[in-house]
């Protein structure tokens, strides 16, 4: 059975609630497709208005982060039950910006992944290497480590429903994109790693996105690769161009 593509926009720290609703209204008619799941991952303050604005469409709403505790004295954090109650279906976990600026580790990523599954949220688990790591020839080793730790104590049934986003850090927001061959090579290695940790069925079921300067010009070629099941799209998800990426054929 062919895997359904999943194309998610990561808005990052952009869009006030008012701007967010206006963007959803602009994008709604442009992102209609039967061939891909479409997700808008939005800042926490935008979640409720975006869920409301997307009602009656196939657009799912995701969060950009969450904490791994249910509730408590964690000022400024957001719990998984807050997300599910607000209508969120997906959550980005371990984005390279979270790791770089907010000291997230492979271990905290794993805690968040487990908590997301516990609450019926689909994690979009990010992994990726720096330019230095690529030049050192350790890309695959590094990413296998990130994936293996992220999936520690995750069951095969849970893993089958997960999304992994491969984002070479050197290609995020730089305008540089990994070549199609580079992107496919790493996504294939991630799939092989999942096969080693679990089994053939899980390896074939899990969806792996490419992220890193995805745009309307390169989406079709990237998404045609056998191991690339869509994209995690940054800047281009804030524009009408996102409709062209979603309808990439």
């Amino acid at each position: 059975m062919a895997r359904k593509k999943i194309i998610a926009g990561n808005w990052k720290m952009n869009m006030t609630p008012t701007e967010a609703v206006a963007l959803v209204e602009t994008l709604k008619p442009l992102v209609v497709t039967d061939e891909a799941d479409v997700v808008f991952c939005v800042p926490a303050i935008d979640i409720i208005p975006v869920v409301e604005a997307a009602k009656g469409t196939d657009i799912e709403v995701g969060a950009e982060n969450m904490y791994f505790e249910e509730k408590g004295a964690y000022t400024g954090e957001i719990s998984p039950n807050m997300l599910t109650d607000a209508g969120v279906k997906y959550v980005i976990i371990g984005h390279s910006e979270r790791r770089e600026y907010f000291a997230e580790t492979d271990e905290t990523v794993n805690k968040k992944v487990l908590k997301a599954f516990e609450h019926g949220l689909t994690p979009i688990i990010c992994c990726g290497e720096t330019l230095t790591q690529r030049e050192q020839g350790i890309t695959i080793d590094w990413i296998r480590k990130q994936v293996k730790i992220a999936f520690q104590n995750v069951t095969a049934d849970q893993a089958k429903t997960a999304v992994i986003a491969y984002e070479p850090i050197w290609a995020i927001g730089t305008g540089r994109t990994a070549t199609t061959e580079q992107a496919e090579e790493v996504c294939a290695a991630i799939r092989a790693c999942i096969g080693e940790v679990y089994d053939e069925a899980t390896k074939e079921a899990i969806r792996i996105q490419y992220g890193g300067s995805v745009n309307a010009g390169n989406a079709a070629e990237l998404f045609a690769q056998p191991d690339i099941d869509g994209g995690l799209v940054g800047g281009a998800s804030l524009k009408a161009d996102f409709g062209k990426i979603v309808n990439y054929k």
Side-chain angles (χ1 to χ4, degrees), residues 138-153:
I138 63 167
T139 294
I140 305 294
D141 296 332
W142 179 263
I143 283 162
R144 282 171 59 86
K145 173 185 80 93
Q146 287 184 315
V147 169
K148 284 187 172 184
I149 297 173
F151 280 84
Q152 207 163 12
N153 300 318

Side-chain angles (χ1 to χ4, degrees), residues 120-158:
L121 289 160
T122 299
I124 298 174
I125 304 157
C126 298
C127 57
E129 83 284 10
T130 63
L131 190 56
T132 303
Q133 288 161 342
R134 178 162 278 277
E135 287 167 348
Q136 289 167 339
I138 63 167
T139 294
I140 305 294
D141 296 332
W142 179 263
I143 283 162
R144 282 171 59 86
K145 173 185 80 93
Q146 287 184 315
V147 169
K148 284 187 172 184
I149 297 173
F151 280 84
Q152 207 163 12
N153 300 318
V154 172
T155 68
D157 283 343
Q158 290 171 329

Side-chain angles (χ1 to χ4, degrees), residues 132-248:
T132 303
Q133 288 161 342
R134 178 162 278 277
E135 287 167 348
Q136 289 167 339
I138 63 167
T139 294
I140 305 294
D141 296 332
W142 179 263
I143 283 162
R144 282 171 59 86
K145 173 185 80 93
Q146 287 184 315
V147 169
K148 284 187 172 184
I149 297 173
F151 280 84
Q152 207 163 12
N153 300 318
V154 172
T155 68
D157 283 343
Q158 290 171 329
K160 283 185 181 83
T161 68
V163 179
I164 298 175
Y166 165 55
E167 296 200 303
I169 296 166
W170 48 272
I172 298 174
T174 59
R176 292 181 63 169
T177 318
T179 65
T180 306
E181 293 72 27
Q182 286 172 325
E184 166 60 19
E185 179 194 14
V186 178
C187 290
I190 292 168
R191 197 173 302 286
C193 181
I194 291 293
E196 288 170 30
V197 173
Y198 296 102
D199 50 39
E200 192 68 19
T202 309
K203 167 185 157 182
E204 290 307 318
I206 198 164
R207 295 190 288 180
I208 303 171
Q209 299 175 314
Y210 170 74
S213 300
V214 175
N215 58 52
N218 59 27
E221 189 182 333
L222 285 163
F223 300 169
Q225 301 309 302
D227 292 293
I228 300 178
D229 305 313
L232 185 59
V233 183
S237 70
L238 300 168
K239 304 185 283 215
D241 258 18
F242 190 56
K244 293 179 188 161
I245 295 171
V246 168
N247 293 283
Y248 57 93

Side-chain angles (χ1 to χ4, degrees), residues 48-115:
I48 289 172
V50 166
V51 166
E52 194 58 38
K55 274 194 176 142
T57 73
D58 290 332
I59 297 164
E60 299 281 15
V61 180
E64 296 180 14
N65 185 34
M66 67 163 216
Y67 198 52
F68 51 75
E69 297 289 355
E70 310 272 333
K71 58 185 174 185
Y74 305 105
T75 301
E77 291 295 332
I78 290 178
S79 71
N81 14 9
M82 291 175 188
L83 296 181
T84 53
D85 190 63
V88 168
K89 297 288 196 306
Y90 292 84
V91 57
I92 297 173
I93 294 177
H95 192 280
S96 61
E97 290 156 2
R98 299 288 323 166
R99 295 175 191 252
E100 184 182 355
Y101 305 137
F102 305 105
E104 295 214 359
T105 64
D106 291 330
E107 287 72 25
T108 58
V109 166
N110 176 240
K111 286 183 178 181
K112 291 181 180 189
V113 167
L114 292 170
K115 191 54 76 172

